[in-house]
Amino acid sequence: MTAPPSDLGYRPDHASPPGDIILEYLESLGISARELARRCGRSGKLMAEIVSGKAPVEPETALQLQRVLGMSASIWSNLEAAYRLHLASVDERTNLAASYDWAKRFPVKELAERNHIVLQSDRSALVEELLIFFGVGSVRACEDRMADLLAADFRTSLSFASSPEALAAWLRLGEKTALDRDTPDFDRDTFVASLRELRGLTSEKLESVLPKLAESCERAGIVFVLEKPFPKVRASGVSRWLSPRKALIQQSMRYMSDDHFWFTFFHECAHLLLHSRKTIFIDAEKGPGNATPVQEAEANAWAADFLVPEARLKGFLRGFGGEEAKLLRFASEVGVAPGIVIGQLQHRGVLRFDALNHHKVRYKWA
């Protein structure tokens, strides 16, 4: 799912202070600023500063100008607000432009290609596009938001396999998609029942399974998002709770094979079923996420056993000598795709990592 880029509308590069309008009135009336100050009951110095734009038109002054000049106080206040906002915008653009090198660390080209931001030649505008994408108001707030998404202090970590900026952007895509989807409250029993059904679909073509997978998850209060990774993203998947009643599973299709896709999916499901709702689980080589090694091992064991029951696998292995026909028959008996069994046996060291890989289904992005 993609969201249209933010439209900030027309942004003028100039705004006149209310004092310019006041000067026009003074010329038409043929009076001085000092005389206007006297009629308003204000000091000549204050009125001179208002005319020059150094002092603001306060609400009380706007009411007095309304009586003297016949122009609504709300108009004076709006002119003042527009002028001050313009001054703040000028300063803000200067400050944002100073963060241009920071913005270039993000996959801005890819975000634009997916219609999440608009590429800007103006440096400050590009930084602003990124802030809007992350839903924050400043660069500092964006860094804090990234730390939340990555569940890590990315500013000091030296252990990222992925680019933290690219990974945070990828995670934000999943989050935005999930927040746009309405789901019922999380229901554990519905979720477990859905997983049993999905396990039986591992031999079907992925393009036909994905809608069923997403629908099954959403019935249980979980949003499933398959999002193409950006370059320098080394994560396979993430599971997290967006609220106490709504969760997200996001996958990148890393390695592009059925065994890895399905193991990652059930691994992330295990985190949601077994572990704290306060934890963000990012399945990556190293760096982000705050899962413990024990939690990762528990999720691995749960996913492996759910896909290929451990007791049945042990029984199979007692008479297995690498025969292809036996493996295919066993996969059919336990009701999963052969590639899943092959992947588990490769991981256990029973098979070489190049053995029987022709039975794995390979994927590619459209």
Side-chain angles (χ1 to χ4, degrees):
M1 175 181 176
T2 59
S6 298
D7 180 7
L8 297 180
Y10 170 65
R11 287 190 278 184
D13 59 5
H14 176 74
S16 297
D20 287 357
I21 308 299
I22 293 175
L23 282 175
E24 292 181 9
Y25 270 90
L26 295 180
E27 290 176 2
S28 65
L29 294 174
I31 62 174
S32 65
R34 182 175 295 277
E35 175 60 21
L36 177 62
R38 188 183 68 80
R39 294 186 187 186
C40 289
R42 311 309 296 267
S43 72
K45 179 181 178 181
L46 174 61
M47 190 58 67
E49 290 179 344
I50 290 174
V51 169
S52 67
K54 295 179 180 179
V57 176
E58 301 289 355
E60 181 182 3
T61 306
L63 290 169
Q64 294 164 350
L65 290 172
Q66 173 181 274
R67 300 185 190 107
V68 175
L69 301 179
M71 184 171 167
S72 171
S74 63
I75 294 178
W76 290 115
S77 294
N78 290 338
L79 287 170
E80 179 62 39
Y83 177 63
R84 297 301 164 183
L85 180 61
H86 170 72
L87 293 181
S89 297
V90 171
D91 290 341
E92 180 73 354
R93 285 197 291 271
T94 300
N95 293 333
L96 291 179
S99 297
Y100 179 69
D101 288 341
W102 168 85
K104 289 195 298 183
R105 298 202 296 264
F106 291 86
V108 291
K109 179 181 178 182
E110 291 82 3
L111 282 169
E113 289 173 349
R114 300 188 197 184
N115 297 319
H116 290 285
I117 68 170
V118 176
L119 281 181
Q120 304 282 351
S121 57
D122 180 81
R123 294 189 171 198
S124 65
L126 179 61
V127 176
E128 188 167 35
E129 285 284 330
L130 282 171
L131 298 184
I132 294 169
F133 169 72
F134 280 102
V136 295
S138 68
V139 171
R140 176 64 190 186
C142 190
E143 291 183 340
D144 290 342
R145 184 74 185 93
M146 289 171 62
D148 291 340
L149 284 168
L150 300 176
D153 184 357
F154 73 94
R155 288 181 294 274
T156 59
S157 174
L158 299 178
S159 61
F160 276 87
S162 300
S163 154
E165 291 81 13
L167 180 55
W170 180 76
L171 293 171
R172 175 62 174 160
L173 289 182
E175 179 183 70
K176 286 168 68 68
T177 298
L179 291 173
D180 285 341
R181 293 186 188 170
D182 292 327
T183 62
D185 290 351
F186 174 73
D187 185 281
R188 184 185 180 88
D189 292 339
T190 300
F191 186 41
V192 172
S194 297
L195 296 183
R196 294 193 184 100
E197 295 175 5
L198 291 171
R199 180 186 177 278
L201 301 179
T202 60
S203 295
E204 295 189 15
K205 291 184 177 180
L206 188 63
E207 55 264 32
S208 65
V209 170
L210 286 175
K212 301 174 186 177
L213 190 155
E215 181 181 350
S216 294
C217 286
E218 288 195 21
R219 283 200 306 268
I222 297 169
V223 177
F224 174 81
V225 176
L226 184 62
E227 185 69 47
K228 185 178 181 180
F230 297 119
K232 300 183 181 179
V233 169
R234 304 289 184 265
S236 299
V238 59
S239 53
R240 57 185 296 218
W241 291 91
L242 301 174
S243 75
R245 296 178 296 278
K246 182 177 183 179
L248 164 67
I249 293 175
Q250 180 179 351
Q251 288 183 230
S252 68
M253 198 93 81
R254 193 178 181 209
Y255 300 119
M256 309 298 283
S257 64
D258 61 342
D259 62 317
H260 192 266
F261 172 85
W262 285 110
F263 188 84
T264 298
F265 174 71
F266 285 104
H267 174 96
E268 302 306 338
C269 292
H271 280 312
L272 297 180
L273 290 170
L274 301 177
H275 301 135
S276 170
R277 298 190 182 190
K278 297 180 180 180
T279 304
I280 298 175
F281 300 97
I282 302 177
D283 183 15
E285 292 175 358
K286 57 182 178 177
N290 55 13
T292 67
V294 171
Q295 289 172 325
E296 287 300 305
E298 289 173 345
N300 283 337
W302 190 95
D305 184 66
F306 193 87
L307 284 165
V308 184
E310 181 68 16
R312 298 193 65 176
L313 184 59
K314 286 182 177 179
F316 166 73
L317 289 176
R318 283 194 289 269
F320 180 63
E323 301 88 346
E324 183 175 358
K326 281 187 177 181
L327 187 147
L328 295 177
R329 186 165 55 250
F330 174 70
S332 178
E333 289 172 356
V334 296
V336 297
I340 292 174
V341 178
I342 293 167
Q344 289 209 21
L345 295 185
Q346 290 174 341
H347 182 74
R348 288 168 177 254
V350 176
L351 293 175
R352 299 190 317 271
F353 279 100
D354 60 350
L356 303 180
N357 281 338
H358 57 282
H359 287 293
K360 294 182 180 181
V361 178
R362 299 294 177 178
Y363 304 137
K364 63 180 179 179
W365 290 100

